[in-house]
Each structure stands twice: as C-alpha cells, then as structure tokens.
Amino acid sequence: MSRVSMLADLLERAYRGSRYHCLRLALRGVDEPTARWKPPHYKGYPWMHGSILEIAFRAAGDKHMLHSVAFGDGSLTWEQLQQCFEQEGGDLRSALKLADAGHEQILAILHQLTDSALAQKVPYYHGRRLPAEEIFLLAIEHDIYHAGQIWYVRCLVEGMPG
C-alpha cells in the first residue's frame, strides 16, 4: 500500500470510517440543545467554552485552515470561517457541512500527491515548514482528539440528573 493510500485510509477512518473513534460517529445523534450545552466549569482555549458545537466547528475549520496554509495561498482566516459558519445557520448542521467540505478538500489534495511528494516541506503556521505528510497526520490526530472531546461532553450532558 502506498503512503498516500495509507494516509487517505487513516483520514477517512478518523473522520467517518471507524466504528469506534471517528469524529462523525461522535456527533451522530447529538441534538441542538446538547450541542450548545456548556460545561459549568471549563478551562481550555480562550475562544471556546467547551460546547460540542464549538468543538465541531473547530474540528471542521482546522482542515480548511490547514489546506489554506499548507496547500493554498494562506489567506483564509478563522474570522472568515466563523462568518461562513454563522451565515449557514451557526448550528450543528452548519458545522457538519463545513466539516464534510474540509474533509473532502484535504482528501482531494492528498490524492493529487505522490509518495515522494509527501516528504516535501510545505508552509505551516508561524512561518514554519513541515513535510506534507505531517499535515495529513495532524488532520488525522485532530479529528480523533476532537471526537474524544465530544464523547466526553456527551457523557457529561447525558449523565446530568433530570
């Protein structure tokens, strides 16, 4: 199996192909009130409050940002993504639509590469450069990380009395 094929398989598994740990599975069955629930005590990134909706938006947006920085012109901003998300409704359905588009976008870029091209360095945040393969590995890890966060918040919500 080629490295490109292996990465494509792992991207798919992390996003929607695993029966256990993928991002889309973690979001299946989440209703809007559950998606918007915020934990009473949350200390994380300053731009988040710990809701499933925020986590889903962050997971969705990161693939768009990685694509822009590493394989595009780097002009996309989180503010632009937030505006697009809000124009689509700012709800879980909008986050899923953004996530699906980002996933397809990053897969399309990967399928254009060869195994040898994966070693070539591409732009990354803060002026750094990483091998292209590392960008795809980051996207895989990011989906799994956020899937775990979503399951945890779901357990908090579903475990609340009443």
Side-chain angles (χ1 to χ4, degrees):
M1 174 182 279
S2 72
R3 297 289 294 171
V4 167
S5 295
M6 183 197 67
L7 288 170
D9 182 57
L10 291 173
L11 274 164
E12 189 60 27
R13 288 179 64 143
Y15 185 66
R16 65 178 155 222
S18 171
R19 294 183 299 176
Y20 310 106
H21 303 295
C22 65
L23 185 68
R24 279 305 228 125
L25 179 64
L27 291 166
R28 185 180 304 151
V30 174
D31 60 23
E32 201 62 32
T34 300
R36 291 181 182 278
W37 181 83
K38 295 176 184 174
H41 305 285
Y42 178 78
K43 184 177 184 214
Y45 295 107
W47 56 81
M48 291 180 69
H49 302 96
S51 75
I52 290 171
L53 182 58
E54 289 170 324
I55 296 165
F57 168 70
R58 200 73 191 172
D62 194 61
K63 284 186 183 165
H64 290 275
M65 291 300 294
L66 282 173
H67 176 268
S68 178
V69 170
F71 305 105
D73 63 8
S75 65
L76 184 64
T77 66
W78 276 104
E79 292 77 19
Q80 290 168 324
L81 282 172
Q82 183 74 40
Q83 184 178 19
C84 176
F85 170 65
E86 289 171 9
Q87 285 174 346
E88 288 288 328
D91 56 7
L92 190 54
R93 180 196 55 79
S94 306
L96 290 171
K97 184 177 177 181
L98 189 65
D100 287 345
H103 180 70
E104 294 307 321
Q105 186 179 54
I106 207 87
L107 270 177
I109 288 294
L110 176 60
H111 286 302
Q112 293 174 13
L113 300 177
T114 62
D115 282 3
S116 60
L118 291 172
Q120 294 175 5
K121 291 194 174 187
V122 296
Y124 187 62
Y125 301 117
H126 311 294
R128 294 176 51 208
R129 295 181 68 78
L130 296 175
E133 181 172 19
E134 191 69 22
I135 300 299
F136 299 106
L137 289 170
L138 285 167
I140 293 161
E141 293 167 6
H142 199 250
D143 277 353
I144 294 169
Y145 168 76
H146 284 307
Q149 281 186 308
I150 290 164
W151 280 117
Y152 185 80
V153 174
R154 286 182 73 165
C155 288
L156 289 175
V157 174
E158 292 165 11
M160 289 175 33

